[in-house]
Amino acid sequence: MKPQHLPPAAAIGRASVPRQPGIAPPAAGGGGMPWVRAVLPGVALSAALGGLAMGLGQLEWLARHGFSALTLAICLGIVLGNTAGRHMQGAAQPGIVFSKGMLLRAGIVLYGFRLTLQDIAQIGWSGVLSDALVLCSTFALALLLGRRLFGLERNTAMLIGAGSSICGAAAVLATQPVLKAKAEQVTVAVSTVVLFGTATIFLYPWLYRQQLHWLPSSAAGFGVYAGSTIHEVAQVVAAARAISPETADLAVIAKMVRVMMLAPFLLALSFWLGRRGAQRGRQGRTRRLSPCPGLPSCSWPPRR
């Protein structure tokens, strides 16, 4: 038997880590240590950016204006990716793909565990139903207006709808692997969600003081409304705390219920896209033929 020559660690990292998120470590006996060495630089870089963003998020001025650690991490990643990131892309790419795929999904699951049934009971079934209705209607409206009115690509419109209807930039990043969206589409969606989410920090307290008849007049009701419509948790806290602590508490609970709906939303979206792709595949196999002008067309293969 001829001895087998093992490829270098970098080649193993490129082979074992696909470009799309959602990668899994190789099976036992398949060379786990080279895979770990391949993803370690990117994971370390992601952890360093995350730690820096968490530290900056503790600054009073940034926290007061609703800049969460997640938003700051995305901004730092955009700056690094367009400057020094081009020189380290080869070594860090496998770990970055692993971080934004498997680690991001694990973080979303753990984030949802923070919400208990007692917390949900505080807003009642009406609050849960309003969250579900806002999610579905916002996503459908973003897809409809994005495609027909603004002429956006389908993936861009869907990413903006996911971020606006669930939990901001985190939902955009979690939806990216389902849609197989491009990096520039994610950048547009994240920028849109962060811009309009930041505007709500100043707009919602002003709307509450106007006592408009089509908005909840009580502090508790407006808290549920804010948590059901504002994008990110930090933005919810900043906008609702400007009204009252009670408003902030209920707003955060309503917001966390929306975060819990991210996993069912991704499952439903994946099922819908798969079913739509299967229907297009069947339509492509059935071609309409018209051999001669003036004669009725026939289907191929012929129908029995």
Side-chain angles (χ1 to χ4, degrees), residues 136-154:
C136 297
S137 60
T138 303
F139 182 79
L141 191 62
L143 181 58
L144 179 65
L145 295 181
R147 293 286 289 163
R148 297 189 177 182
L149 183 60
F150 298 105
L152 299 176
E153 297 177 344
R154 189 196 68 170

Side-chain angles (χ1 to χ4, degrees), residues 225-243:
Y225 170 74
S228 300
T229 53
I230 299 179
H231 300 162
E232 294 191 11
V233 178
Q235 296 166 351
V236 169
V237 173
R241 194 175 292 276
I243 299 174

Side-chain angles (χ1 to χ4, degrees), residues 219-304:
F222 197 86
V224 175
Y225 170 74
S228 300
T229 53
I230 299 179
H231 300 162
E232 294 191 11
V233 178
Q235 296 166 351
V236 169
V237 173
R241 194 175 292 276
I243 299 174
S244 70
E246 178 189 6
T247 304
D249 292 339
L250 291 175
V252 170
I253 294 174
K255 176 62 184 177
M256 293 299 294
V257 171
R258 289 171 62 196
V259 174
M260 285 183 59
M261 296 179 180
L262 177 59
F265 166 80
L266 294 178
L267 290 175
L269 180 61
S270 179
F271 174 78
W272 178 71
L273 292 175
R275 186 175 180 181
R276 187 176 182 182
Q279 290 177 352
R280 288 183 175 180
R282 287 194 298 267
Q283 292 175 359
R285 288 191 296 268
T286 302
R287 302 190 302 270
R288 304 292 295 179
L289 301 177
S290 180
C292 300
L295 295 179
S297 61
C298 58
S299 298
W300 183 263
R303 299 179 181 177
R304 297 184 178 180

Side-chain angles (χ1 to χ4, degrees), residues 77-122:
I78 293 175
V79 173
L80 183 63
N82 289 276
T83 54
R86 297 180 179 180
H87 304 286
M88 62 181 68
Q89 185 175 8
Q93 184 69 12
I96 293 175
V97 172
F98 176 74
S99 299
K100 72 177 184 179
M102 184 175 295
L103 293 184
L104 176 63
R105 294 170 185 172
I108 292 171
V109 173
L110 295 176
Y111 194 58
F113 285 159
R114 299 174 56 186
L115 189 63
T116 64
L117 295 178
Q118 289 79 6
D119 294 332
I120 299 176
Q122 294 187 36

